Amino acid sequence: MGIVNVTPDSFSDGGRFLAHDAAIAHGLAMAAAGADLVDVGGESTRPGAAEVPVAEEVGRVVPVVAALASEGVAVSIDTSKAAVAEAALDAGAVVVNDVTALGDPAMAPLAADRGAGVVLMHMLGTPRTMQREPRYDDVVAEVREYLLARAAVAEAAGIDPSAVCLDPGIGFGKTLEHNLALLAGIGGLASAGYPVLVGASRKSWITLLLGEDLDPADRDPVTVAAHTLAIAGGAAAIRVHDVVMGLRSARTADAIVRASTKGRSG
Ligand code: HH2
């Protein structure tokens, strides 16, 4: 999944793709580079980010979604607002990527009605509050339990179970230790039977881990390391800023994992 943020304030690419032409060109380049999905978002979820009114978010994303979909690109809409998701689905998006895991009561019925896929992500609190001393007794177990409960809500609303993807929400109400535990514990989440998406790309856990204030693009080798281990642990998808690097590393990790499985079966 390649990331296109049509926002002025996203932590990595904020402002670069606020102009629709630039966002469309970037999305097309990601699809040409091999992204299976291009994730278009119009509201930053970085800690403390301001909320964007529906009309403004729609105005940012819909022309980009429509242009990419008309070129045959599979688009996910990164939003927690059902009204924005509806406009994006009307414009040709096929997946709703919801960091609130269907928190808007209108989201599940909408996705069910349209036959859209859903990515259900875990977040503690809201983007405004999530990084204020997040606490868990057992982060891996609690995130798993929450996501399975949200998957049950999705299915009860009529969303096809095969269209549900779970995401532990790296950086969303988590300390460095929580993020590392979740990355290490991907296998436990994947064993629930739903495909798991991991989004560790360029996030600030990397600077905390290394104790170096790296620019976002300089965090890519660490992103690759984290995503490679997540894939080896059972993740089915990764959400990345650099699709070329993400795809090459994912294919390599996948090939090694499959080779080891084949080796065991003789
Ligand atoms: N992370 C971000 C946004 N959406 N969706 C899913 N499913 N998983 C994630 O980890 C995830 C997400 C935050 O990253 P980004 O879009 O690059 O930045 P911003 O929120 O500042 O726009």
Side-chain angles (χ1 to χ4, degrees), residues 3 5 7 9-11 39 43-46 78 97 99 119 121 167 169-170 172 197 199 203 239 241:
I3 303 167
N5 287 315
T7 58
D9 55 347
S10 289
F11 78 93
D39 191 40
E43 177 177 54
S44 174
T45 51
R46 78 186 152 71
D78 184 354
N97 173 26
V99 298
V119 178
M121 199 198 78
D167 181 336
I170 298 300
F172 285 85
L197 171 74
K203 287 181 177 169
R239 182 177 180 277
H241 297 90

Short mmCIF file of all heavy atoms in Angstrom, two decimals, residues 3 5 7 9-11 39 43-46 78 97 99 119 121 167 169-170 172 197 199 203 239 241, ligand 1:
data_model
loop_
_atom_site.label_atom_id
_atom_site.label_comp_id
_atom_site.label_asym_id
_atom_site.label_seq_id
_atom_site.Cartn_x
_atom_site.Cartn_y
_atom_site.Cartn_z
N ILE A 3 1.44 5.36 0.09
CA ILE A 3 0.79 6.47 0.80
C ILE A 3 0.79 7.75 -0.04
O ILE A 3 1.85 8.18 -0.50
CB ILE A 3 1.54 6.77 2.11
CG1 ILE A 3 1.64 5.53 3.00
CG2 ILE A 3 0.92 7.96 2.85
CD1 ILE A 3 2.63 5.66 4.16
N ASN A 5 -0.60 11.48 0.85
CA ASN A 5 -1.27 12.39 1.78
C ASN A 5 -1.53 13.73 1.09
O ASN A 5 -0.60 14.46 0.79
CB ASN A 5 -0.40 12.60 3.02
CG ASN A 5 -0.39 11.38 3.93
OD1 ASN A 5 -1.45 10.79 4.20
ND2 ASN A 5 0.78 10.98 4.38
N THR A 7 -2.40 16.57 2.08
CA THR A 7 -2.50 17.36 3.31
C THR A 7 -1.34 18.37 3.37
O THR A 7 -0.30 18.13 2.78
CB THR A 7 -2.36 16.45 4.56
OG1 THR A 7 -1.10 15.77 4.47
CG2 THR A 7 -3.46 15.42 4.65
N ASP A 9 0.06 18.99 6.32
CA ASP A 9 0.73 18.80 7.61
C ASP A 9 1.10 17.37 7.96
O ASP A 9 1.43 17.09 9.10
CB ASP A 9 -0.17 19.38 8.72
CG ASP A 9 -1.58 18.79 8.71
OD1 ASP A 9 -1.94 18.14 7.71
OD2 ASP A 9 -2.30 18.98 9.69
N SER A 10 1.06 16.44 6.98
CA SER A 10 1.48 15.07 7.32
C SER A 10 2.95 15.07 7.68
O SER A 10 3.73 15.88 7.17
CB SER A 10 1.22 14.13 6.15
OG SER A 10 -0.16 13.94 6.02
N PHE A 11 3.35 14.12 8.56
CA PHE A 11 4.70 14.23 9.13
C PHE A 11 5.80 13.98 8.10
O PHE A 11 6.88 14.53 8.22
CB PHE A 11 4.85 13.27 10.33
CG PHE A 11 5.05 11.84 9.95
CD1 PHE A 11 6.33 11.32 9.83
CD2 PHE A 11 3.97 11.00 9.71
CE1 PHE A 11 6.54 10.00 9.48
CE2 PHE A 11 4.17 9.68 9.35
CZ PHE A 11 5.46 9.17 9.23
N ASP A 39 -3.15 4.50 -1.10
CA ASP A 39 -3.94 4.97 0.04
C ASP A 39 -3.97 6.50 0.03
O ASP A 39 -2.95 7.14 0.28
CB ASP A 39 -3.28 4.45 1.32
CG ASP A 39 -4.15 4.64 2.56
OD1 ASP A 39 -5.37 4.42 2.45
OD2 ASP A 39 -3.60 4.96 3.63
N GLU A 43 -6.48 13.99 5.72
CA GLU A 43 -6.40 14.54 7.08
C GLU A 43 -5.22 13.86 7.79
O GLU A 43 -5.19 12.63 7.89
CB GLU A 43 -7.69 14.26 7.86
CG GLU A 43 -7.63 14.74 9.30
CD GLU A 43 -8.94 14.52 10.06
OE1 GLU A 43 -9.44 13.38 10.08
OE2 GLU A 43 -9.46 15.49 10.63
N SER A 44 -4.29 14.64 8.27
CA SER A 44 -3.17 14.05 9.00
C SER A 44 -3.64 13.47 10.32
O SER A 44 -4.51 14.04 10.98
CB SER A 44 -2.09 15.10 9.28
OG SER A 44 -1.09 14.55 10.10
N THR A 45 -3.06 12.34 10.69
CA THR A 45 -3.36 11.73 11.99
C THR A 45 -2.16 11.80 12.92
O THR A 45 -2.11 11.11 13.93
CB THR A 45 -3.77 10.25 11.81
OG1 THR A 45 -2.76 9.61 11.02
CG2 THR A 45 -5.10 10.12 11.13
N ARG A 46 -1.17 12.64 12.55
CA ARG A 46 0.01 12.71 13.42
C ARG A 46 -0.43 13.27 14.78
O ARG A 46 -1.45 13.99 14.87
CB ARG A 46 1.10 13.56 12.76
CG ARG A 46 0.87 15.01 12.85
CD ARG A 46 1.88 15.81 12.06
NE ARG A 46 1.28 17.05 11.65
CZ ARG A 46 0.98 18.05 12.44
NH1 ARG A 46 1.26 18.00 13.72
NH2 ARG A 46 0.40 19.13 11.98
N ASP A 78 -8.17 6.82 3.09
CA ASP A 78 -7.72 6.85 4.48
C ASP A 78 -8.53 7.94 5.20
O ASP A 78 -8.18 9.12 5.16
CB ASP A 78 -6.22 7.19 4.50
CG ASP A 78 -5.61 7.15 5.89
OD1 ASP A 78 -6.36 6.97 6.86
OD2 ASP A 78 -4.38 7.30 6.00
N ASN A 97 -9.80 2.66 4.60
CA ASN A 97 -8.75 2.49 5.60
C ASN A 97 -9.08 3.42 6.76
O ASN A 97 -8.93 4.63 6.66
CB ASN A 97 -7.39 2.84 4.99
CG ASN A 97 -6.29 2.84 6.02
OD1 ASN A 97 -6.38 2.17 7.06
ND2 ASN A 97 -5.24 3.60 5.76
N VAL A 99 -8.59 4.54 10.59
CA VAL A 99 -7.74 4.47 11.80
C VAL A 99 -8.57 4.42 13.08
O VAL A 99 -8.02 4.19 14.16
CB VAL A 99 -6.72 5.64 11.86
CG1 VAL A 99 -5.77 5.60 10.69
CG2 VAL A 99 -7.41 6.98 11.99
N VAL A 119 -9.89 -1.67 6.29
CA VAL A 119 -8.73 -1.85 7.16
C VAL A 119 -9.13 -1.29 8.52
O VAL A 119 -9.51 -0.11 8.63
CB VAL A 119 -7.49 -1.09 6.64
CG1 VAL A 119 -6.32 -1.28 7.61
CG2 VAL A 119 -7.11 -1.57 5.24
N MET A 121 -7.94 -0.35 12.17
CA MET A 121 -6.69 -0.07 12.88
C MET A 121 -6.94 0.21 14.35
O MET A 121 -7.97 0.78 14.72
CB MET A 121 -5.98 1.13 12.24
CG MET A 121 -4.51 1.21 12.60
SD MET A 121 -3.82 2.85 12.28
CE MET A 121 -4.45 3.73 13.72
N ASP A 167 -4.94 -4.01 11.61
CA ASP A 167 -3.69 -3.23 11.67
C ASP A 167 -3.44 -2.81 13.12
O ASP A 167 -4.30 -2.16 13.73
CB ASP A 167 -3.87 -2.00 10.76
CG ASP A 167 -2.65 -1.11 10.70
OD1 ASP A 167 -1.82 -1.14 11.64
OD2 ASP A 167 -2.53 -0.35 9.72
N GLY A 169 -1.70 -0.52 14.32
CA GLY A 169 -1.62 0.93 14.54
C GLY A 169 -0.30 1.37 15.16
O GLY A 169 -0.28 2.00 16.24
N ILE A 170 0.78 1.10 14.47
CA ILE A 170 2.10 1.51 14.97
C ILE A 170 2.12 3.03 15.14
O ILE A 170 1.77 3.78 14.20
CB ILE A 170 3.21 1.04 13.98
CG1 ILE A 170 3.23 -0.49 13.86
CG2 ILE A 170 4.59 1.58 14.42
CD1 ILE A 170 3.47 -1.26 15.14
N PHE A 172 0.20 4.84 17.14
CA PHE A 172 -1.08 5.44 17.52
C PHE A 172 -1.40 5.13 18.99
O PHE A 172 -2.10 4.17 19.30
CB PHE A 172 -2.20 4.92 16.62
CG PHE A 172 -2.19 5.52 15.24
CD1 PHE A 172 -1.40 4.99 14.24
CD2 PHE A 172 -2.98 6.62 14.94
CE1 PHE A 172 -1.39 5.54 12.96
CE2 PHE A 172 -2.97 7.19 13.67
CZ PHE A 172 -2.18 6.65 12.68
N LEU A 197 -2.13 -5.74 8.19
CA LEU A 197 -1.39 -4.64 7.56
C LEU A 197 -0.52 -3.97 8.63
O LEU A 197 -0.99 -3.77 9.75
CB LEU A 197 -2.39 -3.62 7.00
CG LEU A 197 -1.83 -2.29 6.49
CD1 LEU A 197 -1.12 -2.47 5.15
CD2 LEU A 197 -2.94 -1.26 6.33
N GLY A 199 1.97 -0.57 9.36
CA GLY A 199 2.37 0.74 8.87
C GLY A 199 3.40 1.37 9.80
O GLY A 199 3.08 2.17 10.68
N LYS A 203 7.99 6.42 10.79
CA LYS A 203 7.38 7.00 11.99
C LYS A 203 8.41 7.28 13.08
O LYS A 203 9.53 6.77 13.05
CB LYS A 203 6.26 6.09 12.49
CG LYS A 203 5.04 6.15 11.57
CD LYS A 203 3.90 5.29 12.05
CE LYS A 203 2.69 5.47 11.11
NZ LYS A 203 1.65 4.47 11.38
N ARG A 239 2.27 -0.62 4.65
CA ARG A 239 1.86 0.72 4.20
C ARG A 239 3.11 1.58 4.18
O ARG A 239 3.70 1.84 5.22
CB ARG A 239 0.81 1.26 5.16
CG ARG A 239 0.25 2.63 4.80
CD ARG A 239 -0.83 3.04 5.80
NE ARG A 239 -1.36 4.35 5.47
CZ ARG A 239 -0.80 5.50 5.82
NH1 ARG A 239 0.32 5.51 6.53
NH2 ARG A 239 -1.35 6.65 5.46
N HIS A 241 5.79 4.82 2.35
CA HIS A 241 6.00 6.03 1.58
C HIS A 241 6.81 5.73 0.32
O HIS A 241 6.58 6.33 -0.72
CB HIS A 241 6.73 7.09 2.42
CG HIS A 241 5.95 7.54 3.61
ND1 HIS A 241 6.03 6.93 4.84
CD2 HIS A 241 5.04 8.55 3.75
CE1 HIS A 241 5.22 7.55 5.69
NE2 HIS A 241 4.61 8.54 5.06
N1 HH2 B 1 -0.59 5.54 9.72
C1 HH2 B 1 -0.88 6.78 9.35
C2 HH2 B 1 -2.07 7.06 8.65
N2 HH2 B 1 -2.93 6.07 8.33
N3 HH2 B 1 -3.51 3.78 8.34
C3 HH2 B 1 -3.23 2.53 8.69
N4 HH2 B 1 -4.08 1.52 8.36
N5 HH2 B 1 -2.09 2.21 9.38
C4 HH2 B 1 -1.19 3.15 9.75
O1 HH2 B 1 -0.17 2.79 10.40
C5 HH2 B 1 -1.46 4.51 9.39
C6 HH2 B 1 -2.65 4.80 8.67
C7 HH2 B 1 0.07 7.89 9.66
O2 HH2 B 1 1.05 8.02 8.67
P1 HH2 B 1 1.00 9.08 7.46
O3 HH2 B 1 -0.25 8.93 6.66
O4 HH2 B 1 2.25 8.98 6.69
O5 HH2 B 1 1.03 10.49 8.17
P2 HH2 B 1 -0.10 11.52 8.60
O6 HH2 B 1 -1.08 10.82 9.46
O7 HH2 B 1 0.67 12.60 9.32
O8 HH2 B 1 -0.77 12.00 7.35
#
